[in-house]
Amino acid sequence: MHQTAAASFRSSRLSFPLARHAAVAAAAAMGLWAAQARAAEVSVAVAANFTAPMKKIAAEFEKDTGHKAELSFGATGKFYAQIANGAPFGILLAADDTTPEKIAREGKGVAASRFTYAIGTLVLWSPRAGYVDDKGEVLRSGDYRHIAIANPKLAPYGTAAMEVLNKLGLAAQVQTKVVMGENIAQTYQFAATGNAQLGFVALSQVMENGRIREGSAWQVPASMHEPIRQDAILLNPAKDNEAAAALMKYLRSDKAHEIIRSYGYSF
């Protein structure tokens, strides 16, 4: 009897740690399940110029909140047309402030949610080092066959580029040399691949860690065109989407602002 009791006692002593580990594992599994159950997903339409920073922000957002942002990149004008036709995007990160305002006015988004998430900077850029001077005088020299500009009807950076050319009195001179991109991403590709010797692009496309990654560029003074205010708006399909609400808040966080600034945007 004594031996049986002792054996039973030893067995209980051995089984207690196992039971405790099992309980801890079960609790961890429950916590993981609960976190997964709480995690949500939102579809985000992102202006092409904001591609690089938004990819980084989305990765940090998922890491910090568990929520996922499904990103689509393109021209703001095209996104507006898709949203007007019922595309189920949850958030629009536009390249301007007029499109989100229009969406709110038409009742396709939550007006109170709209805010400026970044102010863009226009640059005249070439992948060739030393080709673009720091005052943009290369535009006057005419020493180029083609210049890439985003379609001003679809892309706010294209509108800004045309404002600059008009202010310089060069719009007519440049007109025959323009290679028009559907959006700012395609415009950058035209210049980067040499199909155009120059391109008016977003600073964020050629900047990395606070400096021009390659080539040469003229950072266009903000006074030469209307501010490129880029607004975000929560769209109707995501009114009650937890991930959408979390991402709209996250875009205003210090971590997101640090990433956005590193690509040459301001607030």
Side-chain angles (χ1 to χ4, degrees), residues 94-182:
D96 61 9
D97 56 356
T98 56
T99 301
E101 182 183 16
K102 187 177 181 182
I103 286 171
R105 193 169 61 247
E106 293 173 349
K108 297 180 177 70
V110 181
S113 71
R114 189 163 61 94
F115 71 97
T116 300
Y117 67 90
I119 297 175
T121 299
L122 182 71
V123 293
L124 180 68
W125 176 77
S126 169
R128 180 175 156 191
Y131 187 62
V132 180
D133 59 283
D134 61 4
K135 293 184 179 178
E137 289 298 323
V138 66
L139 286 169
R140 297 185 187 280
S141 73
D143 184 27
Y144 55 92
R145 294 189 309 280
H146 297 109
I147 180 170
I149 297 176
N151 187 340
K153 294 181 180 178
L154 296 174
Y157 281 81
T159 303
M162 293 309 300
E163 288 175 12
V164 171
L165 290 173
N166 281 321
K167 184 159 280 192
L168 293 173
L170 296 173
Q173 176 184 324
V174 167
Q175 187 175 7
T176 58
K177 300 183 178 187
V178 171
V179 177
M180 195 164 287
E182 182 179 276

Side-chain angles (χ1 to χ4, degrees), residues 67-87:
H67 298 310
K68 187 171 183 179
E70 282 289 341
L71 308 178
S72 299
F73 303 100
T76 295
K78 281 208 163 186
F79 280 137
Y80 169 76
Q82 291 170 5
I83 292 163
N85 285 306

